[in-house]
Amino acid sequence: MKNLSILTLFLLLYTHVLWAQTEKVVTFLPSTDHVDTESRGEHSLSKEGVTITTSDGIMGYDSEYRFYTQSTLTLSTISGKLTKIILNGTKSQPPSNFTKASTGTLKASSDKTKLTWTGEAQTLTLTNTSTVVWVTSIEVTVINGTDESGKAVPELVFSSPSVTATIGEPFTSPTLSKPDEVTQVEYQSSDISLATVDKVSGAVTIGERSGTVTITATTQETEHYQAASASYTIIIKNAYVAAYGNYPDSYLLVTDEETLRDGDQVIFVHMSTPSGQAMTTKQTDRYRDDTVLAGFNADGSVIHKNDYALFTVEKSGDYWCFHDALGYLYASSNTQNALGTRSDITADAQAQVAITNNVARIQFQGNNSYRFLRFSNSLEGFVCTASSTNNEPVRIYRKAELPTETFQISDANYATIYADHEVLVPNGVVAHTIADANGTLYYGTNYNAGEIIPKQTPVVLEGHEGSYAYFITNTGVAAPTHNMLRGSTGARDDEPGYRFYKLAWRSDDDHTAGFYYDTPDGKSIQIAAGKAYLAVPEDEAQAKGYAFNEDITGIRRLTAESSPHPVYSLSGQRLSDNAQQLPKGIYIQNGKKIIIR
């Protein structure tokens, strides 16, 4: 009987613990849960303590949420844990295009219209690695409750689960909401080379590299609440990517309809202003919205901007059709200047195209009399008109990949380059200029993946061994100052008063990479055109070579007195802009560890 009583007591306690756990399902439906705009971009929705955020999508339609290629969908809960996510969608643009999850397991249904995530997380990020996804509902299962002590999980929530920051521009951190009793909060950055955070105030300082970093707030246990944490993500972009997107595409004017090809990708532009306007992804009941062009390249091509509507050209018999993620453009009315979007091809979506003096005459067929694609100054959007002479004419720009070249990084993990054109740094590579301060060499200006090296700017490249393809751009970005690297044209350089160094091993027996004399006395150098070499004034040239990452005579990551980068403690606290003023120890500067001896 005594053993039975003990078992009964155990079951009662166990049941109490189970009862303390509560499970709820929060369902997001586009018809009832949406934002107030139909524009494409970064949007968030919150409901019953759950927030969903897209980095590039549309959450303003009644029928579906749309998530574009390479966009992310982030789901978070202010308390408890996410344990199951179900995305329901369509066969044509299935949710199974989300193929990457920050944690947990993904499983698609056999017809790919249903994607299920299972796991346990307070924040989950899914990445769309394929084409646009249409989601008709999102079901989020959350387990919440108290622990064995009866203490509740505090509701911690940031004002935004995901934000974007641009390097060099002011940044304001999201604010944290929490119970008044919870007063002890400590903030931490997942990568202090990207962003540091004051552990008490939560103020964030953005670094000089692009990437994604998570800021986490952790609270201490109190009399009534468990310890808990909440986080948000910062997507850090350089100025070029923030303005023009992650892909280096340009768009060339189509001057002859005979050059149109099935599968071309185009944008529509009108030239009512000197800068021009481009059609966007925002569709109203009567017209497509427009936005000012980002600008023109030197060759007259258009610089791409994220919100331009990118149409695929499709041949349909003797006619042309144009479709984007929203559907096929078509003349949608017989009584007014209306341009619409539909999911299938009809005669009103089939067009004849003729181009004269660079102006495109796009005439949709079918029964509707309002069928010429034009721009309406009164509606400030692209419409269909009854006559091709009404309103503003349209031009077609075709997507043209920028020219590509390659460079090779050796097993030393370094290379140099000097080009007469701008270079868009490829993934996996960082480029550096080299500067000098009081005889100490250090990395000056850094160019990370997605950033542009100005033309005729010699740099040293750092990355894993391999061949890298890079895009040639033409944006006019300014060249850096105080660069001790020189670019080679293949001729000999023997300018008096300098010592010259080439990228090499220290010796055949010592494979320490760095810059070393090309001649025994270092007074001249001759290397292949397109490479870079180091020129150091004689009164500062203290060695026959400068090795990377050495503490005595070498090119250091950043240890100079006049280094322009602030110094942080290992915990992320900003200390000084002058490393030499600090006591002995290990610090972080420009995202790298430095040693002050």
Side-chain angles (χ1 to χ4, degrees):
M1 181 65 104
K2 180 178 179 181
N3 291 337
L4 179 62
S5 299
I6 294 174
L7 176 62
T8 302
L9 178 61
F10 172 78
L11 290 175
L12 286 172
L13 290 173
Y14 179 71
T15 303
H16 171 73
V17 172
L18 290 181
W19 285 346
Q21 296 289 330
T22 59
E23 179 178 285
K24 67 177 180 179
V25 178
V26 181
T27 302
F28 290 84
L29 297 173
S31 58
T32 55
D33 309 306
H34 50 250
V35 297
D36 294 333
T37 176
E38 295 180 355
S39 64
R40 172 180 170 181
E42 181 181 323
H43 301 293
S44 292
L45 290 171
S46 295
K47 182 179 181 179
E48 299 179 36
V50 175
T51 298
I52 60 175
T53 300
T54 175
S55 63
D56 183 16
I58 299 176
M59 288 185 168
Y61 295 149
D62 290 338
S63 54
E64 75 274 331
Y65 302 124
R66 296 191 177 186
F67 307 95
Y68 291 93
T69 304
Q70 300 304 320
S71 66
T72 57
L73 169 61
T74 300
L75 306 97
S76 61
T77 176
I78 60 176
S79 61
K81 298 290 185 181
L82 306 170
T83 58
K84 189 175 184 179
I85 311 291
I86 298 176
L87 306 183
N88 296 299
T90 64
K91 287 185 178 180
S92 60
Q93 307 292 345
S96 59
N97 286 341
F98 282 105
T99 60
K100 292 183 179 180
S102 56
T103 186
T105 303
L106 289 175
K107 184 177 181 180
S109 60
S110 58
D111 62 0
K112 299 184 179 181
T113 62
K114 179 178 178 180
L115 183 68
T116 302
W117 171 87
T118 54
E120 186 174 294
Q122 192 165 17
T123 299
L124 168 70
T125 298
L126 304 177
T127 302
N128 171 19
T129 60
S130 186
T131 58
V132 63
V133 174
W134 293 6
V135 174
T136 54
S137 69
I138 301 176
E139 302 171 29
V140 183
T141 301
V142 180
I143 290 182
N144 202 346
T146 61
D147 61 7
E148 292 84 345
S149 67
K151 293 185 178 182
V153 177
E155 291 192 354
L156 307 178
V157 58
F158 281 101
S159 55
S160 179
S162 179
V163 292
T164 300
T166 302
I167 297 170
E169 296 184 4
F171 175 75
T172 301
S173 308
T175 55
L176 177 68
S177 298
K178 57 180 180 57
D180 291 339
E181 180 184 321
V182 177
T183 57
Q184 294 184 336
V185 183
E186 183 172 313
Y187 296 86
Q188 187 174 18
S189 169
S190 64
D191 189 341
I192 61 176
S193 71
L194 295 175
T196 58
V197 61
D198 186 290
K199 69 177 185 179
V200 176
S201 69
V204 170
T205 300
I206 302 298
E208 298 181 349
R209 293 175 53 219
S210 55
T212 301
V213 61
T214 300
I215 304 299
T216 301
T218 302
T219 62
Q220 300 299 312
E221 184 177 2
T222 68
E223 181 180 356
H224 300 107
Y225 290 104
Q226 305 173 39
S229 64
S231 61
Y232 67 92
T233 299
I234 308 175
I235 303 169
I236 303 173
K237 300 179 179 181
N238 58 69
Y240 177 83
V241 171
Y244 307 128
N246 293 301
Y247 40 90
D249 300 330
S250 63
Y251 291 75
L252 297 170
L253 179 64
V254 179
T255 59
D256 185 348
E257 68 275 9
E258 296 296 328
T259 66
L260 279 179
R261 298 160 300 184
D262 192 25
D264 277 349
Q265 291 186 296
V266 300
I267 60 175
F268 294 110
V269 174
H270 76 90
M271 303 299 295
S272 62
T273 64
S275 61
Q277 308 280 105
M279 187 183 295
T280 73
T281 57
K282 182 179 180 181
Q283 174 73 55
T284 71
D285 59 346
R286 289 183 58 189
Y287 63 89
R288 275 290 185 108
D289 206 353
D290 69 316
T291 186
V292 176
L293 289 178
F296 289 95
N297 294 313
D299 61 3
S301 61
V302 169
I303 298 173
H304 190 274
K305 194 175 178 181
N306 277 338
D307 52 358
Y308 297 168
L310 179 59
F311 291 91
T312 299
V313 178
E314 186 173 324
K315 190 72 171 177
S316 178
D318 295 329
Y319 304 106
W320 296 102
C321 300
F322 306 95
H323 69 86
D324 67 351
L326 303 184
Y328 290 90
L329 289 180
Y330 80 114
S332 58
S333 174
N334 196 34
T335 60
Q336 58 180 334
N337 297 344
L339 173 69
T341 306
R342 60 182 307 130
S343 60
D344 56 350
I345 298 176
T346 64
D348 293 322
Q350 296 175 320
Q352 291 180 335
V353 178
I355 299 176
T356 304
N357 296 326
N358 300 333
V359 174
R361 183 179 183 268
I362 303 173
Q363 182 180 2
F364 292 106
Q365 305 303 295
N367 297 322
N368 288 330
S369 58
Y370 289 81
R371 57 189 188 221
F372 292 92
L373 181 62
R374 309 285 283 179
F375 180 80
S376 169
N377 288 312
S378 59
L379 291 176
E380 295 185 346
F382 291 83
V383 298
C384 281
T385 68
S387 169
S388 64
T389 59
N390 292 340
N391 299 306
E392 299 290 343
V394 172
R395 299 184 183 189
I396 303 175
Y397 280 79
R398 177 191 291 116
K399 178 181 177 181
E401 292 290 344
L402 297 176
T404 303
E405 291 190 4
T406 60
F407 57 74
Q408 187 78 24
I409 294 182
S410 72
D411 57 354
N413 296 327
Y414 292 96
T416 65
I417 189 173
Y418 172 71
D420 286 330
H421 47 252
E422 295 176 350
V423 172
L424 189 70
V425 181
N427 288 332
V429 176
V430 60
H432 314 278
T433 63
I434 294 179
D436 167 73
N438 299 329
T440 298
L441 302 187
Y442 64 93
Y443 289 157
T445 302
N446 299 320
Y447 299 97
N448 299 291
E451 297 179 329
I452 295 174
I453 303 170
K455 66 179 181 179
Q456 298 179 341
T457 298
V459 293
V460 58
L461 305 167
E462 184 178 2
H464 292 298
E465 179 183 6
S467 180
Y468 294 84
Y470 66 87
F471 288 102
I472 298 172
T473 66
N474 190 12
T475 64
V477 62
T481 59
H482 308 300
N483 187 4
M484 298 184 69
L485 292 173
R486 292 185 181 181
S488 174
T489 61
R492 180 171 296 278
D493 191 346
D494 54 4
E495 182 181 353
Y498 283 88
R499 291 290 187 268
F500 301 100
Y501 306 81
K502 67 179 180 181
L503 181 65
W505 296 123
R506 176 177 284 158
S507 68
D508 292 339
D509 299 326
D510 184 352
H511 283 192
T512 300
F515 282 91
Y516 302 100
Y517 278 169
D518 187 40
T519 59
D521 59 4
K523 292 185 177 182
S524 66
I525 192 170
Q526 186 170 16
I527 60 174
K531 302 294 185 180
Y533 58 94
L534 183 65
V536 181
E538 280 186 345
D539 58 350
E540 298 178 12
Q542 302 175 0
K544 295 181 178 180
Y546 296 88
F548 294 110
N549 304 323
E550 291 203 339
D551 293 328
I552 303 174
T553 302
I555 301 171
R556 308 179 189 178
R557 294 284 181 176
L558 276 175
T559 57
E561 288 185 4
S562 59
S563 166
H565 304 285
V567 183
Y568 299 90
S569 68
L570 293 179
S571 63
Q573 181 182 3
R574 182 167 179 165
L575 302 174
S576 173
D577 287 342
N578 187 340
Q580 302 303 321
Q581 294 179 348
L582 297 173
K584 294 180 180 180
I586 302 175
Y587 302 93
I588 300 295
Q589 195 172 43
N590 195 32
K592 309 294 181 180
K593 287 185 179 180
I594 62 171
I595 300 174
I596 304 298
R597 299 181 183 276

